[in-house]
């Protein structure tokens, strides 16, 4: 046993002993309550007064789906907040009675309640451990102030080991820190980055690399952000890994990452419709899917019988394959469905081959392929998709729908779609924690990530994925993102105009460069009127109408496109 490990054991033993001493009475910080929430008292809808059994509840404003004032209170304590992914707002006073619909875990709640206040930006002290936390976290909470000493020692140690290149060796200590102090967000980022970047490149095959990259992403997305849901920096780190590690080209296994990511999400959600309006409805259907089989059966009678018949049919195969309503089962359904739609699978005759040799596939054909049960199958699969997104990816289908509706035609098979999701979500949920001028750069950097993700989707957001071809996903430009990027540039330019370090100017540079690309892209596609409109718009902003008037955009547009294109070719190696 190493000397360091002996020191750790002695320190932990000492800390456990201290539980029954001073550490037991010390208040411990278990969370920095930085996520804005409403304090509500449930009341009688008719009188607006609480009953004997009325309860006080906290509702995160990011989880509010609708709110309507039913009774007003003439007070001087105003309350206002944004909700529905920042697209709507509500204002009123403490004492107002409202009908509010909100998400609570996997359930949608609707109550009539009195607004008692809005909170969320202060330290909260408690001697209780996190609900549902593993025993080691409960122990860490009980240790109290001594926990900080242990975590400090381990944090110094893992950083020293990282400097020495001991990437595998830091795993156990970093994992211990996350268990002792799960709201120490930096260690989650350190731990995930170590797996996705450092350990992955020490392996020998693309498959091994992908396993480590996924492990780093899953750690932060599925664990770290559950403990730190309003930490902008952790959201930014995760968004950057999707944008840089998966969608970038710096790793020589990047094409394998793109194939595997696209395949996974193709099986998970299926092929999205091309039409933007249909894609919004497609995501809305998943977001509004049933929360249980019972609810699904109430919506579409026969769904529960479908599930029962499928389970019985799978049992009769004698394959040992057990039906469970989880991600793995959904992925099997997704693969079965992909075979039916794949041109390569059709050419290779995979449908007939699988039906003959795979009893599970044949059972899916028999039960899920029944034309008379199309509605029930759709209801069942969307239930599984919604459940898997929440439980296995820590993603909210409602937010995914809102972003698809409000931002652009997101294809979740693209890594940049996830960079956009996590970056935008981090800004919405955590920006107010970093309003101090010294910390504002964290929000600025995060906003850059998700705006750049939109740019990447404009350049390569049209995907063609066939999981049975072993080809790289086909990627084409999607001009539908141009207007959206212009809209959000204006929002972020205003938001960061006064940021230290030229925040607004950096967004202006991005905007001008992207719009020049958009003009070339639209012109090449034959969309001459749209290209001319943006060219005139660019001249107003940065040319003759700019702060320093110039003639950069006064030449005929065809000459401009030719010059820009020539410049592109000259920059190629």
């Amino acid at each position: 046993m190493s000397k360091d490990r002996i020191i750790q054991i002695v320190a932990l033993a000492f800390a456990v002993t201290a539980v029954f001493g001073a550490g037991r009475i010390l208040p411990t910080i278990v969370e920095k309550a930085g996520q804005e929430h409403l304090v509500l008292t449930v009341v009688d809808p008719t009188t607006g007064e609480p009953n004997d059994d009325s309860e006080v509840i906290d509702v995160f404003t990011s989880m509010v789906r609708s709110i309507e004032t039913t009774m007003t209170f003439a007070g001087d304590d105003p309350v206002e907040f944004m909700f529905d992914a920042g697209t709507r707002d509500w204002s009123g006073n403490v004492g107002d009675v409202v009908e509010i619909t909100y998400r609570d875990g996997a359930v949608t709640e609707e109550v009539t309640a009195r607004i008692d206040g809005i909170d969320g930006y202060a330290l909260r002290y408690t001697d209780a451990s996190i609900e549902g936390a593993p025993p080691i976290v409960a122990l860490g909470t009980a240790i109290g102030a001594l926990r900080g000493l242990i975590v400090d020692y381990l944090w110094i140690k893992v950083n020293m080991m990282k400097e020495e290149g001991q990437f595998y060796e830091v795993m156990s200590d970093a994992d211990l820190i996350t268990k002792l102090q799960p709201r120490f967000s930096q260690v989650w980022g350190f731990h995930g980055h170590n797996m996705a970047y450092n350990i992955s490149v020490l392996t020998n095959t693309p498959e091994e690399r992908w396993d480590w990259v996924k492990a780093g992403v899953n750690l932060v997305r599925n664990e770290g952000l559950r403990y730190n849901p309003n930490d902008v920096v952790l959201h930014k780190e995760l968004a950057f890994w999707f944008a840089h590690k998966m969608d970038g080209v710096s790793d020589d296994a990047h094409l394998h990452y793109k194939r595997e990511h696209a395949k996974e999400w193709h099986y998970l959600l299926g092929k999205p419709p091309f039409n933007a309006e249909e894609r919004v409805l497609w995501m809305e259907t998943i977001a509004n899917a049933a929360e249980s089989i019972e609810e699904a059966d109430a919506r579409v009678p026969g769904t529960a019988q479908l599930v029962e018949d499928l389970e019985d049919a799978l049992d009769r195969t004698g394959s040992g394959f057990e039906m469970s309503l989880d991600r793995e089962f959904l992925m099997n359904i997704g693969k079965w469905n992909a075979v039916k739609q794949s041109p390569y699978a059709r050419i290779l005759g995979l449908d007939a081959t699988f039906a003959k040799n795979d009893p599970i596939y044949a059972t899916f054909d028999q039960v899920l392929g029944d034309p008379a049960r199309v509605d029930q199958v759709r209801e069942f699969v969307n239930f599984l998709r919604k459940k898997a997104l929440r439980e296995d990816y820590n993603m909210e289908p409602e937010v995914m729908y809102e972003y698809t509706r409000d931002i652009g035609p997101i294809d979740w098979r693209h890594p940049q779609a996830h960079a956009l999701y996590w970056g935008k979500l981090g800004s919405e949920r955590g920006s107010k924690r970093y309003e101090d001028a010294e910390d504002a750069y964290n929000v600025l950097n995060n906003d850059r990530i998700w705006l750049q993700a939109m740019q990447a989707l404009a350049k390569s957001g049209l995907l063609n994925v066939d999981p049975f071809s072993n080809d790289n996903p086909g990627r084409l430009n999607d001009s539908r993102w141009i207007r959206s990027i212009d809209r959000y540039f204006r929002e972020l330019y205003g938001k960061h105009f006064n940021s230290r370090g030229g925040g607004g100017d950096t967004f202006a540079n991005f905007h001008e460069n992207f719009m020049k690309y958009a003009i070339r892209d639209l012109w090449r596609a034959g969309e001459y009127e749209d290209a001319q409109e943006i060219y005139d718009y660019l001249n107003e902003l940065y040319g003759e109408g700019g702060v320093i008037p110039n003639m950069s955009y006064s030449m005929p547009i065809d000459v401009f496109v030719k010059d820009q294109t020539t410049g592109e070719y000259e920059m190629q190696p």
Side-chain angles (χ1 to χ4, degrees), residues 15-217:
V16 172
T17 303
V19 168
F20 301 98
R24 197 173 173 188
I25 60 174
L26 289 172
T28 55
I29 304 172
V30 299
E31 67 176 306
K32 182 164 184 177
Q35 190 170 351
E36 186 178 63
H37 62 271
L38 298 172
V39 181
L40 307 172
T41 297
V42 178
V43 299
D44 183 277
T46 305
T47 65
E49 296 296 328
N51 300 319
D52 293 339
D53 57 350
S54 291
E55 58 179 336
V56 177
I57 57 176
D58 291 341
V59 175
F60 291 128
T61 56
S62 60
M63 294 292 101
V64 174
R65 292 295 172 259
S66 66
I67 180 170
E68 182 178 348
T69 306
T70 58
M71 299 181 188
T72 58
F73 178 77
D76 57 357
D77 194 356
V79 175
E80 58 182 32
F81 63 92
M82 303 288 291
F83 68 99
D84 199 9
T87 60
R88 293 190 280 170
D89 59 61
W90 181 89
S91 60
N93 290 290
V94 169
D96 287 354
V97 176
V98 298
E99 289 182 354
I100 183 170
T101 303
Y102 64 94
R103 296 291 310 167
D104 182 12
V107 181
T108 299
E109 299 284 0
E110 183 174 352
V111 298
T112 300
R114 183 185 67 210
I115 302 286
D116 291 338
I118 189 167
D119 196 7
Y121 302 104
L123 294 178
R124 184 184 302 163
Y125 297 87
T126 178
D127 58 0
S129 63
I130 302 162
E131 183 179 356
I136 186 71
V137 177
L139 173 62
T141 303
I143 289 171
L146 291 175
R147 176 180 56 171
L149 296 176
I150 299 171
V151 170
D152 284 347
Y153 161 73
L154 293 173
W155 183 236
I156 293 170
K157 181 186 174 188
V158 297
N159 277 282
M160 292 175 64
M161 294 170 72
K162 179 185 177 184
E163 292 297 322
E164 295 172 0
Q166 300 179 43
F167 302 125
Y168 282 103
E169 290 80 357
V170 305
M171 292 281 292
S172 59
D173 288 328
D175 185 60
L176 183 57
I177 296 174
T178 63
K179 289 180 169 61
L180 285 173
Q181 198 148 308
R183 298 192 189 277
F184 181 21
S185 61
Q186 289 92 328
V187 75
W188 290 105
F190 171 93
H191 199 5
H193 182 276
N194 185 53
M195 289 191 281
Y197 279 81
N198 298 328
I199 296 179
S200 67
V201 298
L202 298 178
T203 57
N204 298 316
T205 67
E207 291 77 14
E208 290 177 302
R209 284 197 181 192
W210 176 239
D211 286 342
W212 280 106
V213 171
K214 280 203 306 181
V217 166

Side-chain angles (χ1 to χ4, degrees), residues 260-298:
E260 291 302 311
H261 176 84
K263 181 189 297 184
E264 177 181 3
W265 283 84
H266 191 85
Y267 288 161
L268 186 71
L269 298 183
K271 180 181 179 180
F274 172 79
N275 180 272
E277 289 77 16
E278 291 178 3
R279 190 170 298 188
V280 171
L281 292 174
W282 168 70
M283 268 316 307
E284 184 179 20
T285 302
I286 297 174
N288 293 334
E291 305 286 349
S292 64
I293 295 297
E294 292 75 18
E295 182 182 344
D297 191 61

Side-chain angles (χ1 to χ4, degrees), residues 242-263:
F242 278 107
H244 178 262
K245 189 67 175 178
M246 291 190 198
D247 199 53
V249 296
S250 60
D251 191 318
D252 55 14
H254 72 93
L255 291 175
H256 181 76
Y257 303 158
K258 292 177 175 66
R259 286 194 299 270
E260 291 302 311
H261 176 84
K263 181 189 297 184

Side-chain angles (χ1 to χ4, degrees), residues 102 132 233 236 333 347 385 397 429 446 505:
Y102 64 94
V233 177
K236 189 265 293 181
I333 294 177
I347 292 170
R385 286 170 174 168
R429 292 188 174 177
N446 184 66
D505 289 340

Side-chain angles (χ1 to χ4, degrees), residues 267-449:
Y267 288 161
L268 186 71
L269 298 183
K271 180 181 179 180
F274 172 79
N275 180 272
E277 289 77 16
E278 291 178 3
R279 190 170 298 188
V280 171
L281 292 174
W282 168 70
M283 268 316 307
E284 184 179 20
T285 302
I286 297 174
N288 293 334
E291 305 286 349
S292 64
I293 295 297
E294 292 75 18
E295 182 182 344
D297 191 61
R299 291 182 176 189
V300 182
T303 304
Q305 188 61 51
L306 169 79
V307 176
E308 183 178 334
D309 291 348
L310 181 58
E311 185 172 13
D312 290 343
L314 289 171
D315 287 342
R316 289 196 300 270
T317 63
S319 62
F321 181 84
E322 295 184 3
M323 178 175 171
S324 55
L325 305 181
D326 57 13
R327 174 188 174 276
E328 182 180 356
F329 188 72
L330 173 61
M331 297 296 277
N332 277 281
I333 294 177
K335 184 176 181 180
W336 167 79
N337 191 51
V339 171
K340 305 296 183 182
Q341 300 177 353
S342 164
Y344 273 84
R346 194 175 304 118
I347 292 170
L348 297 172
L350 295 183
D351 185 37
T353 301
F354 289 155
K356 179 180 179 181
N357 300 316
D358 185 347
I360 307 303
Y361 188 93
T363 301
F364 285 170
D365 268 348
Q366 174 192 344
V367 181
L368 301 181
D370 185 349
R373 285 177 148 178
V374 172
D375 292 339
Q376 289 81 3
V377 171
R378 183 184 299 112
E379 187 73 18
F380 174 51
V381 170
N382 282 332
F383 156 74
L384 289 177
R385 286 170 174 168
K386 186 175 186 177
K387 185 172 183 287
L389 286 170
R390 287 210 186 111
E391 296 179 358
D392 298 285
Y393 295 90
N394 192 25
M395 297 177 73
E396 281 294 333
E398 293 85 356
V399 177
M400 296 169 70
Y401 152 64
E402 289 158 4
Y403 287 178
T404 306
R405 178 194 67 196
D406 301 331
I407 301 177
I410 298 173
D411 188 333
W412 300 100
R413 301 173 299 177
H414 200 300
Q416 294 285 359
H418 298 260
L420 169 59
Y421 176 90
W422 291 111
K424 186 79 165 64
L425 193 67
S427 290
E428 290 177 0
R429 292 188 174 177
S431 289
K432 288 191 177 182
R433 288 185 59 188
Y434 299 89
E435 289 182 330
D436 186 90
E438 296 298 321
D439 295 325
Y441 72 92
N442 287 309
V443 179
L444 175 64
N445 288 336
N446 184 66
D447 286 342
R448 285 173 176 154
I449 290 286

